[in-house]
Amino acid sequence: MELAHLKDLLEETPSQTSVSPRAVAAQVDRRRHRIQRGAAALTVVAVVGAGGVALAMQTGPNAIPVSPAAPAPDPGEGEGGSPATDESCIIEAPPSWDELIDETRRRRIVDVDGPWLERTRYELTWHRGGQSITFAHDVNILPFSAVTDGRYVVYRSGGRALLWDSENPGWTGRELPGSVIEHAWLDDGKVWLADFENDPGSPRRITNLRLVTLSEGIDATWTLRAADLEPVGPVLGGLQVRSGEQPMQLLQATGEVTELRGQLQDKEVLDTYRGSSGEVALVMDPETSETFVMRERPEPLPVNGRAIEGDWVLGATTVDEMERDALFNHRTGVTVVLPGGRDDYSLREGNLWVHVVGVEQRPLGLSALPEVTCG
């Protein structure tokens, strides 16, 4: 789906939220990108109090210039990201798939496209072209907090968020701004960071959201401080957020908060995939927990989806009263039930990850899976 198509799900001109604590508007100087930045990174801090949003401008020294990552490959993406056909079916994984999955369980790496990130209990190792670099070894690492876009890796350790650049392998992890980071997202050259603190004398939590634009350095571009704000995840170049009973909102890279309209205002974005044909979102209805692929309209899924990559959605389905992992192809309409049970697989970075023992997972390239169709 073209990014513009997903934006068409919003009203033609989304209304900007007014400066109020519930709306959590952060108005950032629109001319920021026209200012010569020099050696210091511009930081904008939005502090929400009882009366609204106060803005302060600061400078953060020691910006380290880095260039944005190259676009990720398009594993298994169909021509033009065409919608699924009217025909659909659910089948068991064919023998050819079983053999590849068995090989992967025996710890053979099968047709992985491009570099890949190995996560173990205390280490993170980058693999590319037959070479391996263990760039993080720490008992405090949360291995599956690590996210990569094919160049950069962002991971959490002991409440800190750190950045590693595979094009500068001599780096140790560079610490990103914030303390006791609970969420870190890496999306299209931007890192979104979230930490939380108690609001004295109130049951509310204060949310601190920071944006780091990697092309401009690793200092926070701006910080938004707000009450009762829950970050959901990246979409449409921004970060989806919600506040209380309000509809979903979009925190944009400019610092503005706009209301999501139309089909997205009451859906939670679980995952997105950005390929050559644009962005496709995997969304959930919070009321029913039903999941959808979002293109021109929400399309129901035969699986309870949790991740999307190329043509494939990974989720769970029930077979003979047993929940099992399955891959649904949103282009062809076929659902392939995978060997094993539920939560035996993950889907990310162009690969199907087969869970082996403990925290160990091994990658199986999606492009290696023979095509299957209905009928």
Side-chain angles (χ1 to χ4, degrees):
M1 177 189 68
E2 296 291 343
L3 185 59
H5 291 170
L6 189 54
K7 288 182 177 177
D8 287 343
L9 298 172
L10 315 180
E11 283 192 349
E12 203 171 293
T13 308
S15 61
Q16 293 184 12
T17 2
S18 59
V19 285
S20 68
R22 184 164 291 280
V24 203
Q27 179 61 47
V28 175
D29 189 348
R30 293 175 182 270
R31 295 171 297 171
R32 180 172 63 86
H33 293 293
R34 297 198 294 270
I35 297 174
Q36 296 296 323
R37 297 179 59 87
L42 180 65
T43 303
V44 178
V45 181
V47 182
V48 176
V53 176
L55 295 178
M57 299 186 70
Q58 303 173 343
T59 56
N62 303 321
I64 301 176
V66 291
S67 58
D74 294 354
E77 186 178 28
E79 290 297 319
S82 55
T85 63
D86 291 335
E87 184 181 14
S88 62
C89 61
I90 298 178
I91 63 173
E92 288 282 348
S96 56
W97 284 41
D98 289 342
E99 291 171 9
L100 290 172
I101 290 170
D102 284 343
E103 286 185 46
T104 305
R105 287 194 195 281
R106 291 196 294 269
R107 302 180 181 178
R108 176 174 173 254
I109 307 304
V110 181
D111 292 337
V112 173
D113 294 324
W116 62 280
L117 178 64
E118 182 178 7
R119 303 158 173 89
T120 60
R121 190 175 299 279
Y122 303 125
E123 289 185 339
L124 297 173
T125 301
W126 184 261
H127 298 270
R128 176 169 54 194
Q131 302 204 351
S132 301
I133 302 172
T134 297
F135 61 89
H137 179 90
D138 184 346
V139 295
N140 295 313
I141 284 176
L142 301 173
F144 293 99
S145 72
V147 291
T148 181
D149 62 358
R151 171 179 172 179
Y152 298 111
V153 179
V154 173
Y155 61 100
R156 292 189 290 133
S157 176
R160 301 174 302 153
L162 299 106
L163 175 77
W164 182 75
D165 181 5
S166 65
E167 293 191 6
N168 293 281
W171 272 25
T172 54
R174 299 294 180 92
E175 187 169 352
L176 296 169
S179 60
V180 196
I181 299 296
E182 292 190 29
H183 298 287
W185 295 274
L186 176 60
D187 179 62
D188 196 25
K190 299 185 289 292
V191 181
W192 300 89
L193 301 166
D195 62 76
F196 306 92
E197 59 187 90
N198 293 326
D199 186 4
S202 168
R204 304 182 308 173
R205 285 204 313 176
I206 299 296
T207 302
N208 297 306
L209 287 173
R210 294 174 176 84
L211 173 67
V212 176
T213 304
L214 294 178
S215 61
E216 299 173 7
I218 62 171
D219 290 321
T221 306
W222 49 256
T223 300
L224 172 64
R225 179 177 164 82
D228 291 335
L229 185 71
E230 182 182 352
V232 178
V235 67
L236 294 171
L239 187 72
Q240 188 181 29
V241 297
R242 63 175 151 225
S243 178
E245 300 300 319
Q246 298 294 315
M248 293 289 185
Q249 297 172 309
L250 183 68
L251 173 60
Q252 301 193 45
T254 60
E256 297 169 307
V257 177
T258 56
E259 293 182 5
L260 283 169
R261 300 284 189 170
Q263 304 279 11
L264 281 179
Q265 69 175 341
D266 59 351
K267 301 291 190 298
E268 178 178 327
V269 177
L270 301 177
D271 196 11
T272 59
Y273 174 76
R274 184 181 291 110
S276 60
S277 60
E279 185 171 275
V280 181
L282 174 65
V283 302
M284 181 182 72
D285 184 335
E287 296 284 332
T288 65
S289 297
E290 188 176 1
T291 55
F292 305 84
V293 166
M294 185 71 80
R295 280 184 289 242
E296 288 79 7
R297 63 187 185 280
E299 300 168 17
L301 297 171
V303 297
N304 185 14
R306 61 180 185 265
I308 187 169
E309 192 78 14
D311 291 338
W312 295 102
V313 174
L314 175 67
T317 190
T318 301
V319 179
D320 295 331
E321 300 183 350
M322 177 182 174
E323 279 199 298
R324 293 173 57 184
D325 279 343
L327 282 173
F328 168 67
N329 189 305
H330 60 81
R331 175 176 56 89
T332 65
V334 64
T335 300
V336 182
V337 181
L338 300 171
R342 180 171 180 170
D343 297 327
D344 284 348
Y345 302 87
S346 300
L347 186 66
R348 62 180 183 273
E349 302 151 19
N351 301 308
L352 176 67
W353 292 77
V354 181
H355 300 185
V356 185
V357 176
V359 300
E360 186 176 359
Q361 301 179 7
R362 307 299 285 176
L364 168 57
L366 287 172
S367 59
L369 296 172
E371 185 170 358
V372 289
T373 58
C374 295

